[in-house]
Amino acid sequence: MIKIAILGYGTIGSGVVEVLNTNQESIAKRAGDEIQVKYILDLRDFPGDPMEDKVVHDYDIIADDPEIQVVVEAMGGVEPAYTFVKRALLSGKNVTTSNKALVAKHGAELIAIAKDKSINFLFEASVGGGIPIIRPLNSSLTADEIEEITGILNGTTNYMLSKMTFEGLEFDDVLKDAQSRGYAEADPTADIEGYDACRKIAILTSMVCGQQVDFEEIYTEGISKITATDIRYAKAMGRVIKLLATSRKTEEGYCAMVAPFMLSQSHPLYNVNDVFNAIFVHGNVLGDAMFYGSGAGKLPTASAVVADIVDIAKHLNKNILISWSSRKMDLIDCKKAKSRFFVRANDGKEAIQQSFGKVEFIEAKDVLGETGFLTEVMSEEDYAQKANGLKHILQRIRVV
């Protein structure tokens, strides 16, 4: 019997218990042994809960119990999760986590400790919720040089943009709706400003390049400045607006960015709507592949955590190699990244053409008193220089 401890009995922690109970027999068969929850660490008590007698308030009880072979970190945030996870690994206990903040900041160090101890630190659920992407990158796609990863990695923002697209609503209205449905937190900053997606693309880029990518160095824009007018222009062009987290390998190195993009109907992520996530991967041998599914939520995320528990059970006392060193990867300046740009301005067409040269003017339904246009392909740096020639730019969105 494999005895585990769960740190945190919130959405994910309780979901792990539910998944283990729901699929108990099949999970035991795949793991080669029965999996039993011995402890749940939480500050609260849960009177009447079936797991009430498992709840403890002192982490030392878990850390000092030699029977615990797997620790499931479901607390979120960097501290005290980092302290608890590091202590568990140093004491020879395997760890699985869904905590993208922890993995993005300390992943390389925790992977190295696990390797040194011949145990495992796994984090499938930290990116894409229930979508398998970490394990494929670490095993199935190892014959490829991954040249691009582009994903819709945040269900909250994708729901909001889908709602704006289909119902013509303004940002503030869809945010209130997302909060009322539990898709957005009371403080939605991490989602709507792109920070959540930024940590996730940092993890994926680290997996691909095998080095530490600091999420603080990734250029990040959110969706808080997207308006219903922007959506009207996108519809006029047969496009949709999505918040993309993207990482590309170039001759100079890796370039990563999180920002809203206008996508054409031919783009593989065009039809990814509502709270769903999708991750597009391009390999030099494989070509294109796409991973699609529930990117968040209690049971999809818990399913990925339990899959890690099963993987750990199948590799007790044997480290699963993850090539992610603590050596820092310096990202190339995103100013050199190229795309077309959709721009809204109060300047006249003549002034626009003087600054940007050849452009395609766009007219949108019910939009008056401004000019929308689409530039030629140019670098971020070139765009910034040309934009200085205009006095009244209202919006700028990248186009792919």
Side-chain angles (χ1 to χ4, degrees), residues 154 156-157 159-161 163-164 169-193 223-224 226:
N154 184 274
T156 300
T157 51
Y159 171 81
M160 292 172 63
L161 290 172
K163 192 90 170 172
M164 291 176 75
L169 300 176
E170 289 289 358
F171 176 85
D172 289 342
D173 296 323
V174 297
L175 176 56
K176 290 175 184 175
D177 175 75
Q179 288 172 323
S180 71
R181 294 172 182 268
Y183 295 153
E185 302 287 343
D187 179 1
T189 305
D191 292 325
I192 64 173
E193 297 302 343
I223 67 165
S224 58
I226 299 298

Side-chain angles (χ1 to χ4, degrees), residues 148 150 239-240 242 244 246 248 260-270 338-342 374 397-400:
E148 178 185 350
T150 297
R239 296 177 178 270
V240 293
K242 301 290 184 183
L244 299 187
T246 184
R248 288 185 175 86
F261 282 79
M262 283 188 175
L263 309 185
S264 69
Q265 294 181 27
S266 62
H267 196 284
L269 299 175
Y270 178 91
K338 292 185 177 182
S339 66
R340 300 181 77 184
F341 294 86
F342 166 73
L374 195 58
I397 302 173
R398 296 163 185 85
V399 178
V400 293

Side-chain angles (χ1 to χ4, degrees), residues 5 11 21-22 55 57 77 80 89 125-126 147 185 201 207 209 220 223 227 230 250 273 304 316 327 337 377:
T11 301
N21 288 337
T22 300
V55 177
H57 306 303
L89 292 169
S126 67
E147 298 176 334
E185 302 287 343
I201 197 65
M207 290 288 297
C209 73
T220 301
I223 67 165
T227 68
D230 298 325
T250 70
N273 294 312
L316 288 176
R327 188 159 62 95
V377 174

